């Protein structure tokens, strides 16, 4: 079934975004226009894609930092003695 934006409902996804209160109407306007399949939506996608900054994914930063640690290869004994403690109920 087509909705008022010209797309089938299965093509649309709901998003939650965090932004400034004063940008709410602007963001909603973009979302409504992008939900369509027409030339206006395609033009807006092109403009937004060209104008937004592409940030490359930076996965593995924590692992990389751990590998740079001066403690790597120092064979530290990090084991701890554990003793049974009664749990207060």
């Amino acid at each position: 079934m087509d909705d008022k934006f010209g797309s089938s409902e299965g093509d649309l996804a709901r998003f939650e975004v965090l932004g400034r209160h004063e940008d709410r109407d602007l963001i909603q306007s973009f979302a409504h226009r992008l939900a369509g399949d027409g030339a206006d939506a395609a033009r807006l996608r092109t403009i937004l894609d060209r104008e937004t900054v592409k940030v490359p994914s930076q996965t593995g930063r924590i692992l990389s930092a751990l590998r740079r640690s001066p403690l790597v290869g120092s064979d530290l004994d990090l084991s701890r003695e554990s003793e049974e403690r009664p749990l207060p109920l």
Side-chain angles (χ1 to χ4, degrees):
M1 177 174 119
D2 287 350
D3 62 13
K4 65 182 179 180
F5 301 112
S7 298
S8 67
E9 202 170 299
D11 293 342
L12 298 177
R14 181 173 297 277
F15 295 97
E16 182 174 334
V17 296
L18 184 63
R20 296 174 63 166
H21 181 68
E22 56 265 19
D23 293 334
R24 180 185 182 121
D25 291 339
L26 176 65
I27 293 168
Q28 286 179 339
S29 172
F30 278 143
H32 285 288
R33 290 174 62 188
L34 289 170
D37 287 332
D40 186 43
R43 184 180 60 78
L44 184 56
R45 277 188 201 93
T46 302
I47 292 169
L48 290 172
D49 191 50
R50 183 179 59 234
E51 297 297 324
T52 55
V53 176
K54 301 282 191 266
V55 178
S57 176
Q58 297 182 359
T59 59
R61 295 183 304 168
I62 293 174
L63 182 58
S64 178
L66 289 172
R67 287 181 175 157
R68 290 190 307 264
S69 169
L71 298 177
V72 169
S74 64
D75 295 327
L76 290 177
D77 180 14
L78 299 175
S79 61
R80 295 176 22 176
E81 290 183 26
S82 63
E83 56 188 65
E84 293 288 325
R85 288 184 271 169
L87 295 175
L89 298 177

